Amino acid sequence: MLDDVSFDLREGEVHVLAGENGAGKSTLIKILAGIHTEYEGAMELEGKPVHFSTPQEARQCGISVIHQEMSLVDSMSVLDNIYLGREPSRFGGCWLDRTTQVEQSGKFCEMLDLSCDELDRPVEGFSFPVKNRIEIAKALTSDARVLVMDEPTSALDRPEVDKLFALIETLKKAGCCIVYISHKMEEIYRIADRITVLRDGRWVGTAEAKDCPEQRLIQWMICREISEQFPEPLRVPGAAARLELRNFIVPARNPSQRPTAGGVSLRVHAGEIVGIAGLQGSGASELFQGLFGCFDKDCPGTVEIDGIAFRPRNPTHAIQRGLAYLTADRKSTGLVLPMSVEKNVSLSSLPWVSLGGWLRPRKERANARKHVDSLHIRLASLDQAVGTLSGGNQQKVVLAKWLETKPGVLLLEDPTRGVDIGSKREIYSLMRQWTAERMAILLISSELPELLGLSDRIIVLHRGSVAAQFSKEDATQENVLAAAMGSVAPGKEAA
Amino acid sequence: MKRFLSSQRIGLPWFRAFLALVLVVAIGCAFNANGAFFRWSAHRDMLRQVSVDGILACGMTLVIVTGGIDLAVGSVLGLSAVLFATFSLHDGYSAFTSIVAVVAAGILAGTASGTLVARFKVQPFIATLAMMVFARGLAKWVSGGQKISTAIQQADGTFAYGTLPRIFDIIAVRVCGGNIAVVTLIFLCCVALSWIVLEKLRYGRYLYAIGGNEEAARLSGVPVARAKLLAYGMSGLFAAIAGICQAAQEEQGDPEAGAGYELTSIAIVVIGGTSLAGGRGGIGLTLLGALTIGYLEKILSINAVPESSRLMLTGTIIVTAVLFQRRKNTA
């Protein structure tokens, strides 16, 4: 999987590891972390040759990996999680030493931006960004000298990313070296000291970040000339409103609290991509969930699809009315990982594919084949379990599943999360292709440049209501972010 | 031989279940109890003896594929046996009426635990544990704690002996020149029915999807509650059929019948290779698992292994089989 790769880390540097999905970044990290143990060549730590045979060994030598998927125990407290596996103890390790643990906890409060009381609460109550920082704190208790971060910002907002980067700065000053994997160009240049690019398991190049312009980096990664990043918008003449919300409210789980989305009004026309911008907690993804009927309770307000009133009840009903919802987390809410590609593709459209409750395997296969071809999904066989595909291809399977329901309105939440650059491009141009077929798309993206590049209009949510609306021309990163953070935007006010 | 055991094949669950079966049969050939294992009657009896557990295992497979478990099948079997005996022996209902009534009762019991699981989100283990206790109690209440047989107590305390209705003979008899028991045929019909549900029907696909990732299934528009209700309802249906077979074979309705059968049927499903985590497996595997367990018990019994050792051996072999399957799985 890896072939002739050289990689070195200097003290106190942030070394970005870049490359498309499947380029060999994960394999390299697994060798560092002692998960992959069979390799040729040598690894040296501070001048001494090492060969880790277990993850524990790597950890003892000061190498900690923060994975994309969290490794926290949700039901345990923050503090217990931080010390999990390294609890301070007495009497030769058989008696937990709570007192020392609590005494030491002071230093984490500041780092995690939490009060000391909150450290005793279970992890499950905290948001994704906080969990992310807890994960880093956990790595630091083992006196990590090398910290590997695999796409740590894939679900973070701007301010959260800033906090994370500030934390990384502190770590750098303390002499920690950081291997940082990211698909986000902007981030790479903000944080990197040096960049190493891998492609197809081979080392392509290592360069100081300041000597490596973006164009060259992309060429290194994909070995193709890059045309413009986002496809041109298409104007569908005389488009009618496909989806209209008037004063749509998504109540909070706890009825005494402020609704997560309160009184949202918006309209999406056929052939239009409308971007929803908002920070964590702005209610954007709750708005999608409410529309799709994911909550058991009723959402007040008026919704019209193609001019006909629609009351969200449950996902089955929403799909029948032509809605499709691509969730942010494809592994836990988008795909049935042990099931085959073909079965995943047809999962939502079985009522149409089957006849009187009986499956029609030939029709199913033909449908799946059609999407695999048109979306360029790379796979060995349609019977392959979808969990064995790479991130980009998995995402295309989710898209195929929704296309098969012939939706009128697509709700896309972070459609390119954890997807390599090549697939990202393909997904962008597919989205344009669908709008040309008169679909309407509502888009949430945690990457602001992507949101701005793709959307025809941007609606900014702040604390559950529409704070501002921008046309494509007026929308800049600065004023969208300003509106999302609640300051009075220089753009047009909400209609 | 090498090609037969190619690594590609060995990764397939059905092939591993098949290997386990071959292994057990090979053990039977080695310990053949002076040739008893080579006589057709041994195999015929094995098939008859495993049928009732096998019928339960069909329903269990449907439930386990959704990631659930149904502990109530043994008790529902007991309840059905008692009801069937009461209806046909004491109340004099026709065979058809009794069967329809008992099957309806079984489906009702299954649907009740299904409702608890699907609608009220009770954990399957707890919901079906409650149903297991409740159905056993109901069976004892209906029968007054007595075995229901053709002996009917009269008002003056004496016993009058009724005749055994023909339906009992029809189920308990062997057909095809005495070569195969009717209960075995019923078992095979149940396997076929489950196969159709799991492989040919839309709802079968939903069962797998729910077991694989319930939240993703729900967001994909799968009617999760309805599909689960179907699985538990079918499990109740199969338990009722098994109860009727049991009553016909014993010529009575024993309120204690089926105690512990839920565990045997879970063992059959697991030894076949269906994952208790849900989402993987199938009815073909359960059929292979039923044969494996059936042969195992038959070999132990023809070799006159005492019950104490038999139980210990069975436990050991189940664990061995499961470990064997898992190691191949990761390879």
Side-chain angles (χ1 to χ4, degrees):
Chain A
M1 275 181 280
L2 280 185
D3 189 15
D4 197 17
V5 172
S6 319
F7 184 70
D8 67 297
L9 277 171
R10 295 176 195 154
E11 193 178 311
E13 76 164 350
V14 174
H15 197 139
V16 166
L17 197 53
E20 287 194 281
N21 283 355
K25 293 169 307 203
S26 310
T27 315
L28 184 60
I29 285 176
K30 280 180 182 158
I31 290 173
L32 285 182
I35 299 168
H36 252 295
T37 54
E38 282 166 35
Y39 57 88
E40 286 169 31
M43 176 157 58
E44 281 181 14
L45 187 69
E46 293 174 345
K48 289 189 289 279
V50 284
H51 189 131
F52 304 128
S53 48
T54 63
Q56 282 76 21
E57 242 176 81
R59 213 160 66 175
Q60 275 156 16
C61 290
I63 297 179
S64 274
V65 180
I66 295 156
H67 290 282
Q68 260 168 312
E69 278 86 34
M70 296 281 169
S71 56
L72 299 175
V73 183
D74 269 343
S75 55
M76 278 168 54
S77 77
V78 176
L79 211 51
D80 286 344
N81 260 296
I82 290 175
Y83 282 103
L84 188 62
R86 286 176 297 275
E87 295 84 357
S89 56
R90 280 181 202 168
F91 311 126
C94 59
W95 196 268
L96 283 180
D97 187 358
R98 280 290 296 175
T99 338
T100 316
Q101 193 173 313
V102 173
E103 275 166 12
Q104 290 182 354
S105 67
K107 63 180 178 196
F108 295 117
C109 294
E110 191 190 351
M111 189 180 138
L112 295 171
D113 204 6
L114 295 176
S115 72
C116 283
D117 289 342
E118 282 175 310
L119 289 181
D120 281 328
R121 293 212 200 123
V123 164
E124 59 201 349
F126 291 100
S127 64
F128 192 85
V130 178
K131 286 186 188 176
N132 202 324
R133 288 200 296 269
I134 295 173
E135 192 96 358
I136 296 171
K138 191 177 154 184
L140 293 179
T141 54
S142 58
D143 295 322
R145 283 172 299 169
V146 178
L147 203 57
V148 182
M149 298 188 187
D150 193 356
E151 288 196 63
T153 59
S154 58
L156 302 192
D157 296 318
R158 246 327 144 69
E160 298 292 350
V161 171
D162 289 342
K163 277 187 199 163
L164 178 73
F165 283 6
L167 184 57
I168 289 176
E169 279 306 317
T170 344
L171 294 177
K172 263 171 74 171
K173 287 204 188 89
C176 212
C177 38
I178 290 150
V179 181
Y180 190 97
I181 294 182
S182 177
H183 287 304
K184 299 181 192 169
M185 212 45 85
E186 195 199 341
E187 252 174 35
I188 293 177
Y189 282 101
R190 246 181 92 190
I191 198 166
D193 295 312
R194 283 194 301 157
I195 303 173
T196 291
V197 176
L198 298 181
R199 185 173 70 226
D200 301 328
R202 287 164 193 276
W203 177 84
V204 182
T206 300
E208 297 282 336
K210 55 181 185 292
D211 305 332
C212 180
E214 195 172 316
Q215 202 63 25
R216 179 153 132 229
L217 183 63
I218 291 176
Q219 270 171 18
W220 271 3
M221 281 162 73
I222 64 176
C223 192
R224 263 180 259 141
E225 277 302 318
I226 302 303
S227 58
E228 85 292 342
Q229 185 127 19
F230 299 103
E232 276 299 300
L234 280 151
R235 288 270 170 231
V236 179
R242 292 220 81 154
L243 176 73
E244 181 160 7
L245 304 185
R246 277 194 300 273
N247 211 13
F248 186 71
I249 296 167
V250 181
R253 271 178 210 285
N254 181 350
S256 62
Q257 281 171 349
R258 195 172 51 87
T260 42
V264 175
S265 304
L266 57 87
R267 184 183 290 167
V268 194
H269 300 95
E272 197 179 27
I273 299 178
V274 174
I276 310 265
L279 306 174
Q280 216 101 44
S282 66
S285 74
E286 285 82 1
L287 177 70
F288 278 16
Q289 289 163 15
L291 255 178
F292 202 61
C294 298
F295 304 116
D296 282 334
K297 53 189 84 156
D298 242 353
C299 297
T302 322
V303 184
E304 280 178 13
I305 296 175
D306 293 326
I308 302 163
F310 164 70
R311 202 164 186 80
R313 276 208 310 264
N314 54 47
T316 320
H317 179 226
I319 291 167
Q320 278 164 3
R321 292 296 308 273
L323 282 181
Y325 173 32
L326 181 122
T327 55
D329 188 350
R330 62 177 163 269
K331 282 194 175 136
S332 65
T333 53
L335 292 167
V336 184
L337 293 175
M339 245 163 59
S340 72
V341 172
E342 177 187 323
K343 290 175 180 175
N344 268 289
V345 169
S346 61
L347 190 59
S348 293
S349 50
L350 282 182
W352 302 281
V353 175
S354 62
L355 193 67
W358 292 77
L359 296 171
R360 286 189 291 176
R362 237 170 291 155
K363 188 170 164 103
E364 222 181 316
R365 182 146 287 242
N367 280 344
R369 169 69 47 206
K370 185 183 74 197
H371 288 296
V372 165
D373 291 343
S374 69
L375 302 184
H376 306 292
I377 304 176
R378 275 178 290 276
L379 39 71
S381 130
L382 282 172
D383 298 319
Q384 193 178 351
V386 80
T388 59
L389 298 179
S390 73
N393 285 314
Q394 283 186 2
Q395 193 72 322
K396 287 183 192 167
V397 172
V398 184
L399 286 169
K401 174 181 83 179
W402 289 123
L403 286 183
E404 196 46 46
T405 67
K406 313 238 168 7
V409 181
L410 270 173
L411 310 174
L412 303 180
E413 191 175 345
D414 267 336
T416 60
R417 178 163 158 193
V419 165
D420 60 280
I421 287 194
S423 305
K424 256 186 197 176
R425 291 271 156 80
E426 284 178 307
I427 290 174
Y428 294 158
S429 57
L430 283 167
M431 283 169 66
R432 273 300 159 205
Q433 203 177 310
W434 300 328
T435 53
E437 291 160 17
R438 303 186 59 79
M439 267 183 221
I441 296 178
L442 263 177
L443 174 73
I444 297 178
S445 174
S446 52
E447 284 180 66
L448 208 43
E450 175 180 286
L451 195 72
L452 295 175
L454 284 171
S455 309
D456 301 325
R457 265 190 305 142
I458 304 247
I459 291 170
V460 185
L461 291 187
H462 175 65
R463 287 165 67 86
S465 48
V466 178
Q469 252 191 75
F470 297 99
S471 66
K472 192 175 182 69
E473 293 72 36
D474 301 337
T476 61
Q477 297 210 26
E478 289 73 28
N479 53 23
V480 168
L481 201 63
M485 291 169 79
S487 63
V488 181
K492 287 170 200 158
E493 278 303 310
Chain B
M1 187 67 187
K2 210 166 194 176
R3 216 166 74 205
F4 179 71
L5 288 174
S6 71
S7 61
Q8 207 184 353
R9 262 220 189 120
I10 221 152
L12 296 171
W14 69 264
F15 189 72
R16 280 181 272 132
F18 183 68
L19 269 189
L21 176 61
V22 168
L23 209 67
V24 170
V25 172
I27 294 171
C29 294
F31 300 93
N32 56 37
N34 300 323
F37 189 73
F38 299 126
R39 278 194 284 278
W40 169 241
S41 63
H43 301 269
R44 181 193 67 202
D45 291 348
M46 180 283 289
L47 283 173
R48 185 179 58 74
Q49 282 155 5
V50 83
S51 291
V52 168
D53 284 325
I55 295 170
L56 293 182
C58 289
M60 192 66 79
T61 308
L62 297 181
V63 172
I64 285 180
V65 158
T66 69
I69 194 111
D70 191 351
L71 298 176
V73 289
S75 299
V76 174
L77 180 150
L79 175 64
S80 308
V82 165
L83 285 178
F84 184 62
T86 313
F87 289 155
S88 56
L89 297 180
H90 286 194
D91 301 345
Y93 291 170
S94 74
F96 178 77
T97 322
S98 324
I99 290 177
V100 168
V102 171
V103 162
I107 293 177
L108 195 69
T111 317
S113 20
T115 310
L116 285 176
V117 172
R119 201 74 220 114
F120 298 101
K121 316 258 185 277
V122 182
Q123 283 178 352
F125 191 97
I126 305 295
T128 59
L129 182 69
M131 179 51 73
M132 167 177 160
V133 176
F134 182 83
R136 184 65 70 197
L138 192 59
K140 290 188 180 181
W141 181 70
V142 168
S143 64
Q146 305 289 314
K147 290 177 180 163
I148 308 288
S149 65
T150 48
I152 301 164
Q153 197 165 21
Q154 302 297 303
D156 56 6
T158 57
F159 284 94
Y161 290 89
T163 50
L164 201 63
R166 242 175 71 77
I167 182 70
F168 280 70
D169 290 327
I170 292 176
I171 294 175
V173 86
R174 293 197 294 261
V175 291
C176 298
N179 281 327
I180 194 150
V182 171
V183 282
T184 306
L185 294 179
I186 295 176
F187 166 45
L188 293 178
C189 288
C190 291
V191 170
L193 181 60
S194 314
W195 182 77
I196 289 173
V197 170
L198 280 177
E199 302 298 326
K200 293 287 151 194
L201 296 185
R202 177 153 58 99
Y203 270 85
R205 179 69 55 76
Y206 289 163
L207 298 183
Y208 280 107
I210 291 167
N213 186 344
E214 183 167 338
E215 189 56 14
R218 189 175 76 95
L219 293 177
S220 300
V222 170
V224 173
R226 238 180 295 164
K228 280 188 176 175
L229 215 54
L230 173 88
Y232 287 89
M234 296 266 313
S235 182
L237 163 76
F238 287 129
I241 294 173
I244 293 170
C245 293
Q246 180 88 354
Q249 286 181 324
E250 292 184 345
E251 301 187 351
Q252 64 180 12
D254 182 355
E256 298 290 346
Y261 283 25
E262 59 281 339
L263 300 180
T264 318
S265 61
I266 292 170
I268 287 176
V269 175
V270 169
I271 227 170
T274 295
S275 159
L276 276 182
R280 292 172 219 252
I283 198 69
L285 297 179
T286 297
L287 179 59
L288 290 172
L291 294 178
T292 310
I293 291 267
Y295 272 118
L296 195 62
E297 306 228 309
K298 193 73 207 165
I299 292 161
L300 294 174
S301 80
I302 58 174
N303 285 292
V305 179
E307 202 198 355
S308 49
S309 335
R310 205 188 293 179
L311 291 175
M312 289 190 283
L313 267 172
T314 312
T316 315
I317 288 170
I318 290 175
V319 169
T320 318
V322 170
L323 286 180
F324 164 78
Q325 298 209 347
R326 199 176 48 191
R327 212 187 55 204
K328 287 294 188 305
N329 202 3
T330 51

